[in-house]
Amino acid sequence: MTLIPPENLERFTQAPASLDLYRITKKFGDFTAADEISLTVPPGTVHALLGENGAGKSTLVKCVMGFHPATSGEIMVGGHVREIQHPSDARKYGIGMVYQHFTLVPSMTVTENLVLSRPDVPAAVNWKRETARLEEFMATEAPFKVPLHKRASELAAGEKQKTEILKQLYLKSRILILDEPTSVLTPAEATEVLALLRQMTVAGRLSIIIITHKFREVFSFADDVTVLRRGKLAGQGKVKDLDRDSLAAMMMGGTSSAKPVPSAPRATTSTSSRRTALRVKQLSVLGDNGLTAVKDVSFELAEGEVLGIAGVAGNGQRELMEVLGGQRPAATGSLEAHGQPYHGTRRDILAHQFHTLPEEPLRNACAPMLSMAENIALRTFDQPPQARWKWLLNFRAIRKSALPLIEAYSIKTRGPDTPIRDLSGGNVQRAILARELSTLPLKILVVSEPCFGLDFAATDFVHQKITEARDRGVAVLVVSSDLDELLKITDRLLVMSGGQITYETPTATADLAVIGTHMAGHG
Amino acid sequence: MDSFWLVTMAILAGAVRGGTPFLFVSLGECLTEKSGKINLGQEGSLLAGAMTAYAVSYHSGSPWYGVLAAMGVGMLLGLLFAWLSQLPRTNDIAVGIALMLFGSGIAFFFGKPYIQPSAPLLPGIPLGAWSDSTQIQAALRICPLFFLGLLTAYFLAWFLRSTRWGLQIRAAGDQPSAARALGISLKAVRTWAAMAGSGLAAVGGSYLSLYYPGAWTEAISGGQGLMAVALVIFARWDPKMCLVASLLFGGAQSVGPALQAAGIQTGYYLWNASPYVLTLIVMVITCSTKKSLAGAPGALATGE
Ligand SMILES: Nc1ncnc2c1ncn2[C@@H]1O[C@H](COP(=O)(O)OP(=O)(O)OP(=O)(O)O)[C@@H](O)[C@H]1O
Ligand SMILES: [Mg+2]
């Protein structure tokens, strides 16, 4: 890890102002997403914002950013009440935000992205001068380096996140709001980025509000913590006065529903005695750029087994997933389900009850403008009772069949008619899981990053559902960049690196260090 | 040998002569698509522009007023497209097709009285005056609008790369959520881009009626406005490549007449189909399910 040279810290001559939120309320229609929330961020501190999915964390900080103005309440910067109606107001007071989703323009270079983010983009940009200025900024002020000439689409997730943070520093934001900044990073990247930010707050140059689901980050990184539950303040305090249990209790409001997953009955029946559900044979796949993204991958998945594929995102997992989901043709190699060739057509999917759940469900597995009930019905809408004669849709039945699933998967929404894109990140994931897991005759399930952006209760819930499915005899393949998750729920682990399977081990005897070196491509 | 040169010369001249309307329409479409909208209504703007230019030139006596008026009408149609296509629950393609029909409809309706009379046309710059061959003189007589298009191509390339508005247009087209987070108004950006784009297409139309072929008829466009959309894909949303592609398409269009002029009759109608064949080939080559197009604006016609 690189330390920031002290002279670079001196460059940040302006110390951050204090930030106070006083009884902020935000309503969407008659639904209250944030209810009289107050909190204080003294200069040079890190304030963690915690809460289950849909608790109102993003809603609250978007009020501070002027993305949508608060319905009532006051925001004070440096002790003065400030009207923040628009993101440019927030910028004026030195407040900047790194959003839950990347806000870089993929086809533009880092330089172009940084220049574009300035409030005063010159009418005609002199690229030579801008490049020189940015190089100067990188050499002196920037706590970490990113390649200026690369397009944002060519950057790895970690580099993108660093660019987002650099963008805020370049804009001279002294109060940073980070919305789940580490969910797109590998653990090592997350630690690096957070440590560098921490260093800048300790030096009194930056204040931070960080939204996170990870307790580890709260304890190693934050000074204060605020917990929200269903839009209300559920607890607040100094991190040093709290422990895991008290924090978890605050989040769940005493009625903690987070039960540990019953440990899997591993190695009780040997996998070899079970039927093979899915066989991947010497599969090679081309990526978007026409280069080989998956190289000669072979593996077998047995019924009643959870197989994990570990690896840093971007090593061919997405392309592999797309082939399994029938969204991308294989270059060479073949797939077999239950011993028969599998081509991913709707008929094959039905015959083998083969379901996939891709990453980023809002983009890859939803119709964002349709209501939540309609999205949940996407697999069944052409069957009775949701459709008559296979074409006349019965919207009442569609709504009705969504209700028990909303209940069972505790999806927080204003109702089944809300467009799914208005749901919070975690609740979209829940809705899609409800759709995929509730189909009963499920036989093969392939999921990618199933707990991305979920709070810990939801994570446990998903893990439990996956384990239950396995115990019913479903063959499950989990692709995830979260190693802890894989160690917890899988029976067998593969490591994918550079498009190839480089390592295989039973999870029970897995050695973290060995897996780590293979993930890093040094196997 | 002589006829080979004649044909080559005629095709090159035809590339410039027939490529100019493609150039304007494709530059306009390129600008519009960079902002994230596909405007199939360019065909309508082209026709409305052609009719307006001819009518205004006829009444005012100056073809240049005709060009300006065409641009104005084109921008109005662009405004209409921008407004309609950004209403909730509409779709670029449907609105584009509607405007294509609307634009050609008003052109045919108001254009009826102008089919017969002859209006003052745009002058050609006689760059071939040094030669005493009439063929070379004819080939090197070039419309000032072509040079304007040439300048526009380079200007647009610079504009998109190095100006505040250019960057905002690219951001809006590639990642609307990012643009919104930067406080860019998608609506304003896309409206301006669609207006300017449609205005350029209409200037292309004025070239048709005021220079080549140089009369107002209802069959004047032959679908060039639609082909220009394919051409933008071929050009990978790069204004300078639009120039190359336009010349290529213009050249393809003149293969048939050039061969005929040289006395080669075989396959005349077949050669005339070459721009359409080229469009199909471009579509087949560039549309692959395996690869996403490099340079394509990320949010093109996604309704976002
Ligand atoms: N634009 C909107 N219109 C209507 N309802 C909204 C809108 N944005 C958010 N909501 C609702 O407000 C509630 C809080 O959402 P918010 O995005 O703040 O949750 P969150 O705490 O950030 O959750 P997560 O951890 O899943 O990201 C949710 O129930 C969501 O459906
Ligand atoms: Mg959120």
Side-chain angles (χ1 to χ4, degrees):
Chain A
M1 189 180 311
T2 46
L3 284 176
I4 309 170
E7 65 270 19
N8 281 9
L9 287 175
E10 294 307 314
R11 291 282 185 131
F12 288 89
T13 45
Q14 234 179 322
S18 63
L19 174 71
D20 299 87
L21 311 190
Y22 181 67
R23 301 176 71 172
I24 298 284
T25 299
K26 176 70 195 177
K27 293 188 174 165
F28 295 108
D30 48 11
F31 171 78
T32 309
D35 194 3
E36 307 225 325
I37 312 288
S38 303
L39 60 85
T40 297
V41 187
T45 60
V46 179
H47 196 111
L49 201 51
L50 240 73
E52 37 179 2
N53 296 125
K57 307 177 295 292
S58 299
T59 303
L60 180 68
V61 295
K62 281 181 185 165
C63 292
V64 180
M65 282 308 296
F67 213 69
H68 47 216
T71 314
S72 67
E74 274 162 7
I75 298 169
M76 282 179 276
V77 186
H80 302 282
V81 176
R82 301 294 191 191
E83 281 285 309
I84 300 184
Q85 297 287 340
H86 191 264
S88 60
D89 294 333
R91 193 151 52 196
K92 199 162 68 197
Y93 301 121
I95 309 173
M97 175 154 171
V98 174
Y99 291 89
Q100 210 164 350
H101 309 283
F102 290 124
T103 59
L104 298 174
V105 181
S107 68
M108 289 189 186
T109 62
V110 172
T111 305
E112 287 177 318
N113 268 296
L114 289 175
V115 170
L116 177 66
S117 69
R118 271 170 40 181
D120 57 335
V121 189
V125 182
N126 178 343
W127 285 115
K128 222 182 236 156
R129 203 174 60 208
E130 294 299 335
T131 311
R133 258 214 237 165
L134 271 168
E135 270 161 5
E136 154 96 11
F137 167 77
M138 287 300 237
T140 56
E141 286 184 43
F144 31 70
K145 305 274 168 275
V146 287
L148 283 172
H149 59 275
K150 266 201 191 173
R151 281 174 202 277
S153 57
E154 296 165 22
L155 299 179
E159 285 177 313
K160 278 190 199 162
Q161 196 61 297
K162 285 182 187 171
T163 309
E164 297 276 9
I165 293 169
L166 273 189
K167 186 159 92 183
Q168 294 307 326
L169 299 180
Y170 176 66
L171 294 174
K172 309 236 177 304
S173 299
R174 292 298 172 258
I175 302 174
L176 277 194
I177 301 176
L178 310 171
D179 196 348
E180 300 188 33
T182 56
S183 50
V184 289
L185 305 183
T186 63
E189 283 172 334
T191 313
E192 184 197 350
V193 169
L194 290 184
L196 287 167
L197 287 173
R198 175 80 210 162
Q199 227 186 315
M200 298 184 74
T201 56
V202 169
R205 305 301 181 196
L206 214 59
S207 304
I208 291 176
I209 296 181
I210 179 173
I211 297 179
T212 179
H213 289 300
K214 296 175 186 157
F215 282 10
R216 190 174 56 84
E217 289 174 1
V218 177
F219 286 108
S220 60
F221 182 62
D223 299 298
D224 306 283
V225 58
T226 293
V227 181
L228 301 186
R229 191 171 63 245
R230 292 168 199 225
K232 293 205 166 53
L233 191 69
Q236 213 161 37
K238 292 231 161 288
V239 172
K240 63 176 181 344
D241 303 334
L242 293 163
D243 59 15
R244 280 189 83 87
D245 292 339
S246 49
L247 215 51
M250 269 188 203
M251 269 183 81
M252 306 326 294
T255 60
S256 169
S257 61
K259 287 183 223 85
V261 180
S263 72
R266 279 178 188 133
T268 41
T269 46
S270 82
T271 16
S272 54
S273 67
R274 292 196 221 114
R275 227 158 59 99
T276 301
L278 175 69
R279 178 176 288 134
V280 174
K281 282 201 288 203
Q282 295 177 323
L283 190 72
S284 291
V285 184
L286 301 183
D288 285 336
N289 50 12
L291 303 177
T292 311
V294 176
K295 242 178 282 170
D296 206 17
V297 163
S298 304
F299 60 86
E300 288 182 10
L301 173 64
E303 284 175 353
E305 177 192 38
V306 181
L307 174 64
I309 295 188
V312 178
N315 275 282
Q317 296 98 319
R318 185 166 61 86
E319 287 82 1
L320 175 65
M321 271 300 290
E322 285 176 356
V323 173
L324 293 174
Q327 291 160 305
R328 185 184 285 272
T332 58
S334 62
L335 301 178
E336 267 176 26
H338 304 115
Q340 290 155 4
Y342 179 81
H343 300 293
T345 59
R346 205 166 159 97
R347 185 187 304 161
D348 278 2
I349 290 174
L350 270 177
H352 298 286
Q353 288 300 328
F354 185 140
H355 287 193
T356 54
L357 180 58
E359 59 186 5
E360 281 192 76
L362 191 58
R363 240 181 65 196
N364 295 323
C366 285
M369 312 275 266
L370 291 189
S371 77
M372 195 185 60
E374 286 162 344
N375 269 288
I376 288 183
L378 281 184
R379 290 243 178 239
T380 50
F381 68 92
D382 52 357
Q383 326 276 328
Q386 296 183 358
R388 196 173 299 170
W389 310 302
K390 289 208 158 191
W391 60 267
L392 184 62
L393 297 191
N394 180 346
F395 285 98
R396 188 115 57 86
I398 287 181
R399 288 190 71 213
K400 225 173 80 189
S401 54
L403 292 176
L405 289 176
I406 294 175
E407 183 75 33
Y409 285 78
S410 19
I411 306 167
K412 291 207 186 55
T413 149
R414 282 181 294 152
D417 300 323
T418 322
I420 196 157
R421 65 164 182 187
D422 283 352
L423 260 57
S424 80
N427 280 311
V428 173
Q429 189 82 357
R430 284 177 195 235
I432 298 310
L433 271 167
R435 178 176 84 203
E436 300 300 331
L437 288 181
S438 62
T439 8
L440 262 179
L442 180 67
K443 292 210 181 92
I444 305 176
L445 178 67
V446 179
V447 293
S448 178
E449 310 287 353
C451 299
F452 186 87
L454 292 189
D455 61 50
F456 74 98
T459 303
D460 281 346
F461 178 77
V462 170
H463 290 167
Q464 201 177 325
K465 287 285 167 193
I466 288 176
T467 314
E468 274 172 27
R470 177 202 58 192
D471 294 343
R472 292 207 305 264
V474 177
V476 188
L477 178 67
V478 184
V479 179
S480 174
S481 47
D482 182 349
L483 202 51
D484 293 337
E485 167 174 80
L486 291 175
L487 291 174
K488 191 167 142 204
I489 60 172
T490 62
D491 303 307
R492 193 156 59 94
L493 258 181
L494 305 175
V495 176
M496 199 160 174
S497 169
Q500 287 172 305
I501 302 286
T502 51
Y503 184 64
E504 178 180 348
T505 173
T507 309
T509 58
D511 180 342
L512 260 181
V514 180
I515 294 178
T517 51
H518 279 95
M519 274 172 72
H522 303 303
Chain B
M1 197 58 215
D2 208 28
S3 77
F4 171 76
W5 275 111
L6 276 180
V7 170
T8 315
M9 196 72 193
I11 292 178
L12 287 179
V16 171
R17 201 181 327 107
T20 305
F22 280 128
L23 179 60
F24 278 101
V25 184
S26 64
L27 288 176
E29 183 66 15
C30 177
L31 180 63
T32 310
E33 290 191 12
K34 274 285 184 191
S35 81
K37 290 261 160 208
I38 282 189
N39 184 1
L40 291 182
Q42 294 286 63
E43 171 79 11
S45 306
L46 184 82
L47 279 164
M51 191 284 294
T52 310
Y54 199 76
V56 169
S57 171
Y58 175 74
H59 288 295
S60 71
S62 163
W64 291 107
Y65 284 136
V67 175
L68 277 181
M71 188 149 171
V73 167
M75 288 177 79
L76 281 181
L77 284 173
L79 181 64
L80 191 60
F81 169 81
W83 175 61
L84 287 174
S85 67
Q86 295 188 84
L87 289 176
R89 290 171 194 274
T90 57
N91 162 290
D92 289 6
I93 306 292
V95 171
I97 291 175
L99 276 178
M100 180 166 91
L101 297 174
F102 177 69
S104 46
I106 54 169
F108 297 165
F109 180 75
F110 290 109
K112 280 276 184 296
Y114 300 103
I115 294 179
Q116 286 302 326
S118 64
L121 300 184
L122 287 168
I125 304 175
L127 292 179
W130 47 269
S131 165
D132 42 29
S133 142
T134 50
Q135 268 129 349
I136 289 184
Q137 280 181 359
L140 288 181
R141 174 176 284 275
I142 292 173
C143 178
L145 276 185
F146 170 73
F147 294 105
L148 192 67
L150 203 68
L151 279 180
T152 310
Y154 281 88
F155 173 78
L156 196 58
W158 172 80
F159 176 83
L160 288 172
R161 195 181 58 244
S162 298
T163 66
R164 182 197 310 157
W165 304 282
L167 289 176
Q168 292 185 347
I169 287 173
R170 282 164 59 199
D174 204 40
Q175 189 79 304
S177 61
R180 231 179 272 122
L182 290 169
I184 296 173
S185 159
L186 290 182
K187 219 173 201 152
V189 164
R190 288 176 168 172
T191 304
W192 281 112
M195 283 176 70
S198 174
L200 280 174
V203 171
S206 72
Y207 175 94
L208 288 176
S209 64
L210 292 181
Y211 188 77
Y212 179 81
W216 161 246
T217 64
E218 293 184 355
I220 198 166
S221 127
Q224 292 186 47
L226 278 177
M227 272 189 271
V229 177
L231 211 141
V232 175
I233 302 173
F234 182 59
R236 295 289 155 99
W237 294 269
D238 175 352
K240 288 183 205 160
M241 282 299 292
C242 283
L243 176 64
V244 176
S246 300
L247 292 177
L248 194 67
F249 271 59
Q253 232 178 14
S254 61
V255 170
L259 287 175
Q260 194 188 32
I264 302 166
Q265 290 293 345
T266 35
Y268 175 65
Y269 289 101
L270 209 60
W271 284 114
N272 272 352
S274 49
Y276 306 94
V277 175
L278 203 60
T279 307
L280 282 178
I281 293 175
V282 166
M283 285 301 195
V284 170
I285 293 176
T286 51
C287 294
S288 153
T289 52
K290 295 203 184 85
K291 271 202 275 181
S292 61
L293 282 177
L300 196 56
T302 51
E304 209 185 328

